Amino acid sequence: MPELCSACATMGFTTPTPIQREAIPNALRDRDLIGLAQTGSGKTAAFSLPILQALWKNPSRFFACVLSPTRELAYQIAEQITSLGADIGVRCVVIVGGMSMMDQALALSKNPHIVIGTPGRLIDHLENTKGFSLKTLKYLVLDEADRLLDMDFGPAIEKLLKAIPRERHTYLFSATMTTKVEKLQKASLKNPYKVEIATKYSTVANLLQYYMFIPFKHKELYLAYLLSSGTHRSTILFTYTATTAQKLSLMLRHLGFRATCLYGTLSQPKRLAALEKFKSGERSLLVATDVASRGLDIPSVDLVVNYDVPQSSKDYIHRAGRTARAGRAGKCVTLVSQYDIEWYQRIEYALQKKLDAFPVESKTAVMALAGRVNEALKVAQLQLKEEAQDRKEGNDHSALRLSTRR
């Protein structure tokens, strides 16, 4: 239809990606879909366009529901669907944890066409929000299904499947076909058309992948060297824990990098603010846990750094997939200490390739940064300690006020 073609042109979608080329025609033939594709392959448009076309022909409230494993991905999907459906007046609502239930209930009462959300919060509303149901649902999308199931959303998905019509179209998209995903496919899809663009573990061809073998005690020095060694306009730095992410973000700011931080226990408004600063270019470095390994569709990211080696090959694939998107080139560098060799070898085995060593000018060039980096690290650790103390004193004051009231 002309309106959707115009929206695609406005968004720069001129040539369909392989999964779009396979999935969209079959979806338009009223087939259920199961799509296996690399991250960054254009899955969102692959399921959104057929839904919007059907919605235009038969508009109704709560027409479609998209399930996402993370809040960030839910907002990303909503943003793209809203842009694609702008000319046909599509109304979307995002239902995720960390935001006001009351505000979300109000948004649901306005009868949007499409609901995008995380399974747990969606079930909360189905069970507790008066007047809300999905009995008119025509389309269900399970995006990043492997992650949905890895995060133990299985029981919530089962509840949802019982609350929606059996007669519906279901699209299941996943980066990998696990045993859990296969069971979910059998339980929720009818005679699906299978689109398989990726092998179980693969990265796109235009992604350059490196490792940097380093002594653990100098990890921060090598990180600072790496980030200073090129003209990286936009970088995502992955850590294993929120504490490490906070520490490195503060350290790097003291070194002059425009860094912001994103991790799971951060409040949702702060998470969205950090993402917006990064996406807008106000911050060029995002220090994040794996909460950011899916859901970020920022084509301009040209470097991903694994400060902590991912403990599964699947996590590596998704981290690396934050760069080299939409046909652009990208680079991923993994810092490997003497304690990480086994994890790193598992990644190479899964990729079925040996990665190249990242070129380091000399150990002297790295050690020349020691004074500045160590000072910045001390300042960061002191700041974190002070913030933790402030939180403890605040909690103590709150507890004292409560006991006084009693």
Side-chain angles (χ1 to χ4, degrees):
M1 56 184 288
E3 291 83 358
L4 292 182
C5 291
S6 174
C8 287
T10 300
M11 296 177 68
F13 297 167
T14 54
T15 304
T17 65
I19 194 163
Q20 291 165 0
R21 195 178 299 117
E22 284 282 321
I24 292 174
N26 285 283
L28 294 175
R29 297 187 189 105
D30 292 333
R31 294 287 300 273
D32 281 3
L33 294 176
I34 177 164
L36 301 176
Q38 301 156 337
T39 183
S41 61
K43 288 182 283 183
T44 302
F47 64 71
S48 299
L49 289 169
I51 290 173
L52 292 170
Q53 173 107 337
L55 178 64
W56 174 251
K57 292 179 180 178
N58 183 27
S60 70
R61 66 192 188 101
F62 300 114
F63 188 79
C65 175
V66 183
L67 294 185
S68 155
T70 68
R71 304 168 187 179
E72 285 69 34
L73 180 54
Y75 281 101
Q76 189 83 55
I77 293 168
E79 184 180 316
Q80 190 162 132
I81 292 177
T82 300
S83 297
L84 287 170
D87 290 344
I88 64 173
V90 68
R91 298 191 311 277
C92 298
V93 63
V94 177
I95 303 297
V96 297
M99 304 299 277
S100 165
M101 282 279 289
M102 189 66 71
D103 289 347
Q104 291 176 350
L106 182 61
L108 289 170
S109 71
K110 296 178 181 178
N111 296 325
H113 299 115
I114 301 176
V115 178
I116 305 104
T118 49
R121 179 52 67 94
L122 200 56
I123 291 299
D124 284 347
H125 280 286
L126 283 170
E127 293 178 345
N128 301 304
T129 298
K130 188 176 180 181
F132 170 56
S133 81
L134 292 174
K135 292 180 180 177
T136 61
L137 197 73
K138 302 294 189 299
Y139 287 82
L140 173 67
V141 180
L142 300 151
D143 196 21
E144 304 282 10
D146 51 346
R147 184 81 182 275
L148 280 168
L149 296 171
D150 284 347
M151 295 173 70
D152 295 326
F153 282 129
I157 293 172
E158 286 181 18
K159 286 185 179 180
L160 183 69
L161 292 175
K162 293 175 182 177
I164 61 177
R166 287 181 176 273
E167 294 301 318
R168 64 173 191 275
H169 299 294
T170 305
Y171 303 154
L172 186 153
F173 287 85
S174 181
T176 56
M177 175 56 84
T178 64
T179 303
K180 289 180 180 179
V181 172
E182 195 168 354
K183 288 180 180 177
L184 179 59
Q185 171 201 338
K186 291 176 181 177
S188 58
L189 280 73
K190 295 180 181 177
N191 188 29
Y193 180 84
K194 187 175 183 179
V195 183
E196 187 166 5
I197 305 300
T199 56
K200 185 175 183 183
Y201 295 110
S202 64
T203 52
V204 293
N206 49 329
L207 172 66
L208 300 175
Q209 300 173 81
Y210 300 94
Y211 72 92
M212 184 185 282
F213 189 60
I214 60 171
F216 180 79
K217 66 179 180 179
H218 296 318
K219 200 170 183 180
E220 291 86 2
L221 294 184
Y222 278 85
L223 172 64
Y225 172 84
L226 171 62
L227 295 176
S228 304
S229 64
T231 54
H232 309 115
R233 297 183 304 275
S234 182
T235 300
I236 301 179
L237 171 63
F238 282 106
T239 71
Y240 192 63
T241 68
T243 301
T244 304
Q246 291 172 285
K247 179 189 72 175
L248 292 179
S249 179
L250 291 170
M251 182 195 83
L252 291 167
R253 280 183 222 161
H254 287 300
L255 289 172
F257 293 95
R258 293 184 297 122
T260 188
C261 196
L262 178 64
Y263 48 91
T265 54
L266 203 62
S267 70
Q268 189 60 30
K270 288 183 178 179
R271 285 163 71 165
L272 292 174
L275 271 180
E276 185 53 39
K277 287 178 182 178
F278 184 61
K279 291 173 72 173
S280 69
E282 183 181 341
R283 296 285 186 271
S284 58
L285 174 59
L286 179 67
V287 186
T289 60
D290 279 314
V291 72
S293 65
R294 303 196 192 193
L296 294 183
D297 187 15
I298 306 168
S300 61
V301 173
D302 51 17
L303 174 65
V304 165
V305 179
N306 290 312
Y307 180 80
D308 294 317
V309 177
Q311 295 192 358
S312 82
S313 304
K314 188 161 59 174
D315 288 340
Y316 176 87
I317 295 294
H318 291 296
R319 288 183 182 186
R322 296 309 97 204
T323 186
R325 299 176 74 84
R328 293 173 173 83
K331 188 186 297 179
C332 178
V333 182
T334 301
L335 303 186
V336 184
S337 77
Q338 65 269 35
Y339 305 116
D340 304 317
I341 294 173
E342 182 181 350
W343 294 113
Y344 175 72
Q345 287 177 335
R346 289 182 184 182
I347 291 169
E348 282 196 332
Y349 179 78
L351 294 172
Q352 297 183 352
K353 65 191 290 187
K354 290 284 185 182
L355 304 188
D356 295 326
F358 186 83
V360 176
E361 181 184 347
S362 68
K363 185 176 179 181
T364 303
V366 176
M367 298 311 295
L369 300 171
R372 291 179 58 223
V373 171
N374 289 336
E375 180 61 29
L377 187 57
K378 287 178 184 176
V379 173
Q381 289 170 332
L382 179 61
Q383 189 170 337
L384 283 176
K385 187 176 180 180
E386 289 174 349
E387 290 174 359
Q389 184 63 32
D390 289 343
R391 285 194 299 271
K392 183 178 184 301
E393 289 176 359
N395 291 336
D396 289 345
H397 289 319
S398 297
L400 180 60
R401 284 196 299 271
L402 282 173
S403 63
T404 303
R405 287 175 187 171
R406 288 172 185 160

